[in-house]
Amino acid sequence: MERLTRLAKRPSRVALGLMSGMSRDGLDLALVRIEDEPRRVVPLRVETWLYDEAMQARLRGAEGASVAELCDLERDLTQLWGDWIEDLLEALGADDHPPYVVGSHGQTVYHRPRSGASPAATLQIGDGDLLAERLGVTVVSDFRRRDIAAGGEGAPLIPVADWLLYNEEGRTVACNNLGSISNVTVVPPDFGDLRAFDTGPANVLIDAFARVGEAGDIDRDGALSARGSVSDDLLLWLYTQRAEWLAWPPPKSAGFETFGQALADAAVAVHAELPVPDLVRTAVEFTAQTIKDAYEKFVIPFYEDLELVRFSGGGCDNPTLMDAIREKLGALELEVIVLPPAWVAGKEAIGFALLADRTVRGLAGNHPGATGATAPAVLGKISL
């Protein structure tokens, strides 16, 4: 631990972040250099490794797995991550440096937001001890539980990283990530004024509808939704089903249980006459409209100077979705830009590299304005 503390005090450090999202299709790895004077983060390598069909099927069935099956899945998944990390480290050039710490978000199996007096609950698999033992590198994992213990939602956790990366003196900007779930961080000049929350679905509902029939499993490049038309009846049905969650003021978070396959299956049962392209196009419209609604209700009234939104995440690769978002936010006089490719693909992995660095330096990784926790907290479990 003494050596780790010494490494963490260096003004320039290399960290590796891992992110396996709720889409369960692959692992994002981001090797970054963190510099303190002046403060900046430099992506050295950002890669995405895709799971094979067998692993994707196991991950998508994790909620219904037995305890024994879940233990086996966690071991196999962690070993796979170890293979990929070793490949990445072996490929480092002479000018690259190995990470002094790895930050692993893990794979979400279950996430339940707070509801009334019921606290949030979350479960991510991915064995930090096994990774540390195999790689010989300190690993920080299981970030969300400490925030929940402090009364928070356990999500979103990237807002602190967003503020470190994108705060500007005298200007408020927003960072919106389109993973399975859409989440926004409003980055004002003053860290204490930060606000972040999940706005609703991003890819999770679009992909759930894309899996209906023989259409495939994602709306690749927006091709499927581009062939469809919006169903006003289905759109209204989706709003009706999730009206309570959408009306909740922040802080709030969402998971599979809120906008995932169960919602899509129920929608198909009611609207069986709709072809798959129409289902997917309506999910795109619902996603874009709920983003607009969230900004209109929960962002703009608090940040009247907001003019710019930076987008990242897999949803940026869907032109049908991005066109719909630009149209909606343009009506609110907000400019939409997409981050450079490395940041689009790997911003959350980059974020967990930064969070791991903060953990070993004894710094808080959450923000009460994002998660609703009663206080800032040092996140994660350290495997030396």
Side-chain angles (χ1 to χ4, degrees):
M1 189 67 186
E2 185 176 324
R3 178 177 179 273
L4 178 66
T5 302
R6 185 172 67 252
L7 292 173
K9 290 180 178 178
R10 293 183 305 181
S12 179
R13 306 170 297 283
V14 174
L16 176 66
L18 311 178
M19 180 66 195
S20 186
M22 284 194 290
S23 62
R24 310 185 193 197
D25 57 354
L27 178 73
D28 295 328
L29 304 92
L31 188 73
V32 302
R33 186 169 65 248
I34 304 165
E35 299 177 352
D36 293 335
E37 298 289 342
R39 189 184 69 209
R40 66 173 185 158
V41 176
V42 181
L44 303 175
R45 287 174 179 263
V46 178
E47 299 181 1
T48 298
W49 292 72
L50 298 178
Y51 303 131
D52 62 24
E53 291 184 4
M55 178 57 76
Q56 288 188 40
R58 291 176 70 187
L59 291 173
R60 287 174 181 154
E63 292 97 329
S66 68
V67 173
E69 289 169 336
L70 203 57
C71 288
D72 289 342
L73 175 60
E74 181 174 51
R75 180 199 63 229
D76 294 346
L77 184 65
T78 306
Q79 293 285 23
L80 181 60
W81 293 350
D83 292 342
W84 290 342
I85 294 169
E86 287 180 347
D87 287 346
L88 182 146
L89 297 182
E90 288 175 5
L92 293 181
D95 296 331
D96 292 328
H97 297 282
Y100 90 101
V101 67
V102 175
S104 174
H105 168 267
Q107 174 63 60
T108 297
V109 172
Y110 180 78
H111 183 80
R112 184 191 69 208
R114 291 178 298 178
S115 178
S118 299
T122 198
L123 176 63
Q124 283 75 40
I125 59 172
D127 189 341
D129 290 329
L130 179 56
L131 270 183
E133 182 69 23
R134 177 167 174 178
L135 300 173
V137 179
T138 297
V139 175
V140 183
S141 60
D142 205 11
F143 288 86
R144 298 194 184 277
R145 289 174 184 263
R146 181 60 188 273
D147 181 79
I148 289 176
E153 293 266 331
L157 292 185
I158 296 301
V160 170
D162 280 335
W163 193 85
L164 292 170
L165 293 168
Y166 297 111
N167 78 89
E168 301 179 26
E169 186 175 351
R171 186 187 191 198
T172 297
V173 298
C175 301
N176 198 305
N177 192 69
L178 299 172
S180 291
I181 299 297
S182 166
N183 54 73
V184 60
T185 304
V186 184
V187 181
D190 188 337
F191 181 67
D193 294 334
L194 180 148
R195 185 179 181 92
F197 60 98
D198 288 351
T199 69
N203 297 307
V204 63
L205 188 60
I206 295 169
D207 291 346
F209 278 129
R211 284 192 288 269
V212 173
E214 300 179 359
D217 60 355
I218 64 172
D219 183 23
R220 195 174 305 280
D221 298 325
L224 190 58
S225 55
R227 303 203 315 264
S229 300
V230 174
S231 165
D232 292 335
D233 289 343
L234 174 57
L235 188 63
L236 178 60
W237 185 91
L238 291 169
Y239 264 102
T240 301
Q241 295 300 305
R242 293 297 178 261
E244 182 179 3
W245 188 93
L246 293 169
W248 286 349
K252 61 179 179 177
S253 62
F256 283 115
E257 296 71 26
T258 319
F259 292 106
Q261 195 67 49
L263 179 62
D265 291 344
V268 171
V270 176
H271 298 274
E273 77 286 355
L274 292 177
V276 172
D278 288 2
L279 294 172
V280 178
R281 180 63 185 86
T282 304
V284 165
E285 188 73 9
F286 182 63
T287 295
Q289 185 62 50
T290 53
I291 290 171
K292 177 189 175 184
D293 293 345
Y295 278 71
E296 204 164 25
K297 295 176 184 176
F298 305 128
V299 174
I300 292 175
F302 302 91
Y303 304 94
E304 294 181 354
D305 59 336
L306 176 66
E307 297 177 352
L308 176 68
V309 186
R310 294 184 170 98
F311 277 85
S312 60
C316 294
D317 295 328
N318 185 327
T320 313
L321 175 60
M322 292 309 301
D323 285 348
I325 290 172
R326 287 189 178 93
E327 178 186 351
K328 305 295 184 188
L329 295 190
L332 300 180
E333 299 183 354
L334 297 177
E335 180 185 358
V336 171
I337 66 170
V338 175
L339 293 176
W343 294 88
V344 165
K347 194 187 80 167
E348 290 198 311
I350 292 169
F352 279 99
L354 293 177
L355 291 179
D357 179 66
R358 290 182 69 82
T359 295
V360 298
R361 296 169 71 201
L363 301 174
N366 67 336
H367 192 294
T371 68
T374 56
V378 179
L379 303 179
K381 297 176 175 63
I382 300 176
S383 301
L384 296 172

